[in-house]
Amino acid sequence: MLMNLVFFNGELLEKNDIVISSFYRAINYGDGFFESIKIINSIPINLSLHLNRIKHSLNVLHLTNKYISEDIIDHIQNLIKSNQILNGSLKINITRSGNGKYLPNNFTSNILITTKTGFSYKQNNAISICLFSDEYKSRGLLSSLKSSNSLLYILGIIYAKSKGFENALILNDHNNVIEATNSNIFIVKNNEISTPPIKDGCVDGVMRKWITNNENIHIKSISINEIYDSEEIFVSNTISGVTPVKKINNQDFDVFKNANRLQHKIINSCSDL
């Protein structure tokens, strides 16, 4: 029988035993962030990159957490083993503890780690994406984090679904394309793969980092016109890997060579785990 345990502030507990207070700062102020990690053959993929991003987020948000140490790897592996997760994902939520209003009364934080069964990486079907321009994302220290406040992405995907698309592209306050609602974006032109810089406001995605570490990627701002002028477009995230794009608004794309090649490379990198 599969267990449904979670790691909460140092303890393994039944998921239904977790009690969230109405004074929880994540509820009242969105005061926290999260991290999603792929699990393949019971191994958390790219864990060191995820832990580095967690430490960066703690620093930016003026948070501390005593469980984000060398022991966190043991806690994660124990949770995966206890829940008998072969393939799937885990999610780490870190939120400021204590009270206070906008000014918190301390810098410590709660940590909640949950797991979910799923699948290993596979070749993904191409998706359709629209441009979302009702709201823009500001650039700054917070823009690269996986914040507990995801309203911009929620509005973007609601808009996309209402127009018959599967995802939406997000623009920054300079009207440049920076990402999709749940993934980083890459374009290909004249055999050169490009992706927006972190300073333009995109999330500092772990799969984006894996791609830039393993491929020759040009980091540059991307205009809307450059999107339409691209020969190939794909998106990336931790859970799905690389996904080709077949349509942006009314323009079709039929080249998926680099997307499929990169996804094959990701699949092969996990085949011996």
Side-chain angles (χ1 to χ4, degrees):
M1 179 178 177
L2 294 179
M3 303 293 287
N4 195 13
L5 299 176
V6 302
F7 177 86
F8 183 66
N9 289 344
E11 296 183 274
L12 280 184
L13 302 171
E14 286 285 347
K15 184 178 181 179
N16 292 335
D17 290 341
I18 299 297
V19 177
I20 302 299
S21 167
S22 60
F23 296 103
Y24 209 50
R25 291 188 60 83
I27 296 174
N28 288 293
Y29 304 104
D31 193 357
F33 64 95
F34 69 93
E35 191 79 16
S36 298
I37 303 175
K38 186 79 168 180
I39 301 170
I40 296 179
N41 291 333
S42 300
I43 297 174
I45 304 302
N46 292 323
L47 184 56
S48 62
L49 295 179
H50 286 287
L51 293 179
N52 286 340
R53 188 166 67 173
I54 288 174
K55 292 172 184 177
H56 172 71
S57 299
L58 286 169
N59 183 59
V60 170
L61 297 178
H62 301 284
L63 289 170
T64 62
N65 191 282
K66 63 182 180 181
Y67 302 106
I68 300 300
S69 62
E70 292 181 2
D71 292 339
I72 191 63
I73 297 176
D74 293 332
H75 293 314
I76 288 172
Q77 291 174 336
N78 188 31
L79 181 62
I80 292 172
K81 182 178 179 180
S82 297
N83 286 339
Q84 301 176 46
I85 304 295
L86 180 62
N87 297 313
S89 62
L90 66 87
K91 188 172 185 179
I92 301 175
N93 283 280
I94 295 180
T95 58
R96 195 183 309 273
S97 57
N99 297 313
K101 294 187 178 180
Y102 289 120
L103 178 63
N105 61 11
N106 68 65
F107 300 113
T108 61
S109 59
N110 299 301
I111 181 170
L112 172 66
I113 309 178
T114 58
T115 60
K116 183 179 181 181
T117 58
F119 303 93
S120 58
Y121 289 120
K122 60 182 180 59
Q123 289 292 345
N124 295 312
N125 295 326
I127 62 171
S128 61
I129 302 182
C130 64
L131 283 172
F132 177 64
S133 57
D134 289 354
E135 299 289 340
Y136 296 86
K137 188 177 180 183
S138 298
R139 298 162 297 146
L141 284 176
L142 297 178
S143 59
S144 68
L145 308 185
K146 302 276 284 187
S147 168
S148 296
N149 182 345
S150 300
L151 289 176
L152 175 62
Y153 303 124
I154 292 169
L155 291 177
I157 196 63
I158 289 174
Y159 176 85
K161 294 296 183 180
S162 73
K163 300 297 183 181
F165 293 88
E166 295 161 279
N167 209 329
L169 292 181
I170 303 299
L171 306 174
N172 67 10
D173 48 5
H174 279 195
N175 213 39
N176 286 323
V177 175
I178 55 171
E179 59 194 357
T181 61
N182 65 350
S183 46
N184 291 107
I185 185 168
F186 296 78
I187 65 171
V188 183
K189 179 72 174 180
N190 296 327
N191 293 317
E192 182 177 76
I193 305 176
S194 302
T195 194
I198 299 301
K199 67 179 179 62
D200 273 11
C202 64
V203 166
D204 189 7
V206 164
M207 187 54 69
R208 173 190 181 277
K209 190 176 294 291
W210 185 91
I211 293 171
T212 57
N213 286 345
N214 288 276
E215 294 282 321
N216 183 20
I217 306 296
H218 187 205
I219 309 297
K220 72 182 199 70
S221 298
I222 297 175
S223 68
I224 295 175
N225 286 338
E226 286 176 293
I227 289 289
Y228 290 124
D229 195 40
S230 299
E231 298 162 0
E232 180 183 358
I233 298 176
F234 57 88
V235 294
S236 72
N237 64 34
T238 285
I239 303 303
S240 300
V242 172
T243 301
V245 175
K246 64 182 179 181
K247 189 182 186 72
I248 300 286
N249 282 359
N250 294 320
Q251 182 164 325
D252 295 323
F253 296 86
D254 58 7
V255 177
F256 310 135
K257 179 180 69 174
N258 287 283
N260 291 337
R261 176 182 62 81
L262 282 169
Q263 186 71 347
H264 185 69
K265 190 172 183 178
I266 293 168
I267 293 169
N268 284 345
S269 72
C270 300
S271 61
D272 295 328
L273 297 177

